[in-house]
Amino acid sequence: MIHSDATAWQHWQLTRDGEGLAWLSLDKAGESTNSLSAAVLAELSGVLDELERHPPRGLILRSAKAAGFIAGADIGEFDALADIAAARAMVTRGWELCNRLAAVPYPTLALVRGHCLGGGLELALACRTLVVVDEPGTKLGLPEVMLGIFPGWGGMARLPRRVGPGLALDLMLTGKTVDAKKAKRLGLADACVPPRVMEAAARSLALTPPRHQPLPLLQRLFLGPLRPVVARQARQQVAKRAWPEHYPAPYAIIDLWAKHDGNPLGAPEILESIVASPTTANLLRVFRLQERLKAFGKGGDFAPARVHVVGAGVMGGDIAAWCAARGLTVTLQDQTVARIAPAIQRAYGSLSKRLKDKLQLRNVMDRLIPDPEGHGAAHADVVIEAIFENLGAKQRLLQDLEARMKPEAVLATNTSSLCLEDLSRVLQRPERLVGLHFFNPVARMPLVEVVSAAGGDPAMARKACAFVGRIDKLPLPVKSAPGFLVNAVLGPYLLEAMACVDEGLTPETVDEAALAFGMPMGPLELADTVGLDIAMAAGQALTRQGAASPQCLTRLFQQGHLGRKTGQGFYPYPGGKVRKGAAGPVPAGLGERLLAPLIARTAQLVADGVVADQDLADGGVIFGTGFAPFRGGPLHYARSRNV
């Protein structure tokens, strides 16, 4: 490279090579990850000024960081969104800069390696050519809707023109990301190249830009006269999962695209409505809670490579499959190969739906090793006990595992109801036992409670958190207590719902009240999904404290109706799918009544020290139960209402 004599910038590096190409690298000062702050964008404007004075043959935009391309706009500046003038200035700044980049007279190319999200993808879309590097960390998307906002820097206009409006709206309305190969297949990227040739490919394509294939005729019609049809279908799909009063951002995206071609400056009333919505502030809060939980998984130098799971039931098998899919070598133990086989088959069926690359699927399945003799325990960095909930059986197993494990390995139990102090009592080193409480279904639930017993080794808890982070889950440190955090708060919630049924309300009415509050599933359908036998055991535990078991639960249990798994619970499940009747009118305040015990129990667990503080409790309940994210967490919600 031949260095330019341009002004030195704090965040950008500009070099020119012998062929006249300008290579512009973003290396945001003082940060491990690139994001687009006001300062970064101001410097980019200065770079474009320099290039306007001395135009290159072409411009290649890339990252100088190993951590990825650009993660999006600087989340630290989003507090300014509470001010409409500041929000408008932020949108205007990015909108005008991306338009300026799109209009330069020389060829432009974005070389994307690693995450390219939000404003980062909008900047890349403003380049005429987009090249993605084929490696696991490359992900592209416009996930602003997850923060309660919309892509405001041109992405709402440019993405539909590249991939078609139906697909573009699906990506923007769900916040989904795509990998490098899929980006090329969809037409989002012009080329997908391996890392070893990325610079050569970028140079070649910058000097000789590829011709973009026009969208098919029907897609062009959807961008033109049939645009209202696409918008109407998108609204119908969004309405199935998000109420406009709860989540206004997806509806704003549809309206901005349909009526203003994705230009938020053309509809200041929509921008103002999003800025004024409490949903936006609360979803930004949830994002920060998520980042705090992620931070627990990033500490230390523990880098587990091998996992041994004992118990090939639904939970143990799914934990093993998840770990294998995340690149770890997993040995799965049960009494016989015949007991392990269903877990392997279930893993293959689930993974084959997500992994279209057959070689990748085979590699994952090769890492999932049946191990009826338990030989893997001696080599594992993390050993997880996931057998049935019986104290004696678990104690005997943990004793056996401790004798065979590496002394520095993590010994964990997935128990959801037994006391860690009781389980660890039989161990030579009781302080090493930690809880790793996964939730069902493992592939969908992001939270894992990392449980520490009294007298537990903090180093083991930190290792357990690092393991959870390594498999892309959110670790929540909690103290050993009945139900830990998540199950402890769900119990009173489910019992309150059942009390409403005992009072004469239909299950449909009760569940509809919870859905109207913003819960992802009604409490009675949730009880059916968990299993009414499990709910009955929880109810009996509460009864010993003086509470009465709900009559409706007792009746169903005695009839053998245990929920979804038996085909009948509070609802029938023909073919495994729930069938509900009409909900009817929902009494005023029913949603708040249902959630009040959950909120009270959450506050009590913070006061008891089971979870360290209110923010962590809010994060745990949101990611462990699905508590309405747009409300910012149960304790935050209570504070906002002065409850």
Side-chain angles (χ1 to χ4, degrees), residues 517 589-593 595-596 599 627 631 633-643:
F517 183 87
L590 180 56
E592 287 74 13
R593 173 189 167 179
L595 273 300
I599 294 169
F627 182 91
R631 297 192 185 275
L635 300 182
H636 177 78
Y637 169 71
R639 290 195 301 271
S640 71
R641 292 171 54 88
N642 295 317
V643 174

Coordinates of all heavy atoms in Angstrom, one line a residue, residues 517 589-593 595-596 599 627 631 633-643:
F517 N -51.4 -8.2 28.0 CA -50.3 -7.6 28.8 C -49.0 -7.6 28.0 O -48.2 -6.7 28.2 CB -50.2 -8.3 30.1 CG -49.2 -7.7 31.0 CD1 -49.6 -6.7 31.9 CD2 -47.9 -8.1 31.0 CE1 -48.6 -6.1 32.8 CE2 -46.9 -7.6 31.9 CZ -47.3 -6.5 32.8
G589 N -58.2 -5.0 34.3 CA -57.2 -5.3 35.3 C -56.7 -6.7 35.5 O -55.9 -7.0 36.4
L590 N -57.3 -7.6 34.7 CA -56.9 -9.0 34.9 C -55.5 -9.3 34.6 O -54.8 -10.0 35.3 CB -57.8 -9.9 34.0 CG -57.6 -11.4 34.1 CD1 -57.7 -11.9 35.5 CD2 -58.6 -12.2 33.2
G591 N -54.9 -8.7 33.5 CA -53.5 -8.9 33.2 C -52.6 -8.4 34.3 O -51.7 -9.1 34.7
E592 N -52.9 -7.3 34.9 CA -52.1 -6.8 36.0 C -52.2 -7.7 37.3 O -51.3 -7.9 38.0 CB -52.5 -5.4 36.4 CG -52.1 -4.3 35.4 CD -52.9 -4.3 34.1 OE1 -54.0 -5.0 34.1 OE2 -52.4 -3.6 33.2
R593 N -53.5 -8.2 37.5 CA -53.6 -9.2 38.6 C -52.8 -10.4 38.4 O -52.1 -10.9 39.3 CB -55.1 -9.6 38.7 CG -55.3 -10.7 39.7 CD -56.7 -11.2 39.7 NE -56.8 -12.5 40.5 CZ -57.9 -13.2 40.7 NH1 -59.0 -12.8 40.2 NH2 -57.8 -14.3 41.4
L595 N -50.0 -10.8 36.8 CA -48.5 -10.5 36.9 C -48.1 -10.0 38.2 O -46.9 -10.1 38.5 CB -48.1 -9.6 35.8 CG -47.7 -10.2 34.4 CD1 -46.6 -11.1 34.5 CD2 -48.9 -10.8 33.7
A596 N -49.1 -9.6 39.0 CA -48.7 -9.0 40.3 C -47.9 -10.0 41.2 O -46.9 -9.6 41.8 CB -49.9 -8.5 41.1
I599 N -44.3 -10.3 40.0 CA -43.5 -9.1 40.3 C -43.1 -9.1 41.7 O -42.0 -8.8 42.1 CB -44.3 -7.8 39.9 CG1 -44.5 -7.7 38.4 CG2 -43.6 -6.5 40.4 CD1 -45.5 -6.7 38.0
F627 N -41.1 -12.5 29.8 CA -41.9 -11.3 30.3 C -41.8 -10.2 29.3 O -40.7 -9.8 28.8 CB -41.3 -10.9 31.6 CG -42.1 -9.7 32.2 CD1 -43.1 -10.0 33.1 CD2 -41.7 -8.4 31.9 CE1 -43.8 -8.9 33.7 CE2 -42.4 -7.4 32.5 CZ -43.5 -7.6 33.4
R631 N -42.0 -3.8 28.1 CA -42.3 -3.2 29.5 C -41.0 -3.0 30.3 O -41.0 -2.5 31.4 CB -43.3 -4.0 30.2 CG -44.7 -4.0 29.5 CD -45.8 -4.6 30.4 NE -47.0 -4.7 29.8 CZ -48.0 -3.8 29.6 NH1 -47.7 -2.6 30.1 NH2 -49.1 -4.0 29.0
G633 N -39.0 -5.1 31.9 CA -38.8 -6.0 33.0 C -39.8 -5.8 34.1 O -40.4 -4.7 34.3
P634 N -40.1 -6.8 35.0 CA -41.1 -6.7 36.0 C -40.9 -5.6 37.0 O -41.8 -4.9 37.4 CB -41.1 -8.1 36.6 CG -39.8 -8.7 36.3 CD -39.4 -8.2 35.0
L635 N -39.7 -5.5 37.5 CA -39.4 -4.5 38.5 C -39.4 -3.1 37.9 O -39.9 -2.1 38.6 CB -38.1 -4.8 39.3 CG -38.1 -6.2 40.0 CD1 -36.8 -6.4 40.7 CD2 -39.3 -6.3 40.9
H636 N -38.9 -3.0 36.7 CA -38.9 -1.7 36.0 C -40.3 -1.3 35.8 O -40.7 -0.1 36.0 CB -38.1 -1.8 34.7 CG -38.2 -0.5 33.9 ND1 -37.4 0.6 34.2 CD2 -38.9 -0.2 32.8 CE1 -37.6 1.5 33.3 NE2 -38.5 1.1 32.4
Y637 N -41.2 -2.2 35.4 CA -42.6 -2.0 35.1 C -43.3 -1.5 36.4 O -44.0 -0.5 36.4 CB -43.3 -3.2 34.6 CG -44.8 -3.1 34.5 CD1 -45.4 -2.3 33.6 CD2 -45.6 -3.9 35.4 CE1 -46.8 -2.3 33.5 CE2 -46.9 -3.8 35.3 CZ -47.5 -3.0 34.4 OH -48.9 -3.0 34.4
A638 N -43.0 -2.2 37.5 CA -43.6 -1.8 38.8 C -43.2 -0.4 39.2 O -44.0 0.4 39.7 CB -43.2 -2.8 39.9
R639 N -41.9 -0.1 39.0 CA -41.4 1.3 39.3 C -42.1 2.3 38.5 O -42.5 3.4 39.0 CB -39.9 1.4 39.2 CG -39.1 0.6 40.2 CD -37.6 1.0 40.2 NE -37.0 0.9 38.9 CZ -36.4 -0.2 38.5 NH1 -36.4 -1.3 39.3 NH2 -35.8 -0.3 37.3
S640 N -42.3 2.0 37.2 CA -42.9 3.0 36.3 C -44.4 3.3 36.7 O -44.9 4.3 36.3 CB -42.8 2.5 34.8 OG -43.7 1.4 34.6
R641 N -45.0 2.3 37.3 CA -46.4 2.5 37.8 C -46.5 2.8 39.2 O -47.6 2.9 39.8 CB -47.2 1.2 37.4 CG -47.3 0.9 36.0 CD -47.9 -0.5 35.7 NE -49.1 -0.7 36.5 CZ -50.3 -0.4 36.0 NH1 -50.5 0.2 34.8 NH2 -51.4 -0.6 36.7
N642 N -45.3 3.0 39.9 CA -45.3 3.2 41.3 C -46.0 2.1 42.1 O -46.7 2.4 43.1 CB -45.9 4.6 41.6 CG -45.1 5.7 41.1 OD1 -43.9 5.7 41.1 ND2 -45.8 6.7 40.5
V643 N -45.9 0.9 41.6 CA -46.5 -0.2 42.3 C -45.7 -0.6 43.5 O -44.5 -0.8 43.4 CB -46.6 -1.4 41.3 CG1 -47.2 -2.7 42.1 CG2 -47.6 -1.1 40.2

